Amino acid sequence: MTPRCHIVAAAIASLAYATSVAGKDPVVDQPAPDFQVTTFDGKKLTLADFKDQVLVLNFWATWCAPCKEELPLLDRYYRIQQKRGLRVLAISTEDSVPLSQLKPLAAALTIPMVRTLKGPYRVLKGVPTNYVIDRHGILRYARAAAMTLDTMNEVLVPLLGDHSSHDPSPGAPNDAGQPGPEKSAQ
């Protein structure tokens, strides 16, 4: 590689790092970027509305088979764990059915469905995509994969039990290019 190529590569790397540090993309084990959502019932919510709670942002689509299994499971899990501080927002992707066709589903679910989202959260490699933000506003999980009951228990139960000050321990694995946990998955 020529010296000029090294300079260009370094400049690109610096720009990518600066963009990430500026909070454009959510980074696991870093403070979660703010967002604004409007739910189907018209509530406007931001990250601050979930202070001292564990929040799951669930991106899904009506055509997605794993989403069709995950969303009802996530809704049941939420009903059980909401007393411990769990909150979930279900965000349908743009290529899903029109919002008017989602109203019956929104009425049937306990978890709020989102009509609009402003912020850096997005589908990662596919749907479903889940982000988990802990009670202290730290992003602990970001992955494009359906959460099973085992995954929910592994990721959420420790966070739901955490009422202490910020714990800088490593977060759960992710697909956002961030390092995963240092502990074994077994």
Side-chain angles (χ1 to χ4, degrees), residues 1 19 30 33 36 46 51-52 66 68 79 81 85 90-91 95-97 111 118 121 132 140 145 150 155 165-167:
M1 197 185 272
T19 300
Q30 296 297 314
Q36 180 179 350
T46 66
K51 183 174 173 37
D52 296 325
K68 290 177 186 179
R79 281 189 243 147
Q81 296 288 5
I91 306 159
D95 57 350
S96 210
V97 298
I111 58 178
K118 293 179 184 174
Y121 299 91
V132 176
R140 294 296 179 183
D150 288 342
V155 173
S165 62
H166 172 64
D167 175 13

Side-chain angles (χ1 to χ4, degrees), residues 73-91:
L73 176 64
L74 195 53
D75 190 59
R76 285 190 305 274
Y77 198 86
Y78 167 71
R79 281 189 243 147
I80 294 167
Q81 296 288 5
Q82 67 181 334
K83 292 177 185 174
R84 294 183 64 201
L86 179 64
R87 300 295 178 262
V88 179
L89 294 173
I91 306 159

Side-chain angles (χ1 to χ4, degrees), residues 7-27:
I7 292 171
V8 171
I12 290 171
S14 295
L15 180 61
Y17 176 77
T19 300
S20 173
V21 169
K24 301 269 185 206
D25 291 324
V27 178

Side-chain angles (χ1 to χ4, degrees), residues 56-77:
V56 176
L57 299 176
N58 172 257
F59 287 82
W60 66 283
T62 54
W63 50 262
C64 164
C67 299
K68 290 177 186 179
E69 292 180 22
E70 179 190 54
L71 194 58
L73 176 64
L74 195 53
D75 190 59
R76 285 190 305 274
Y77 198 86

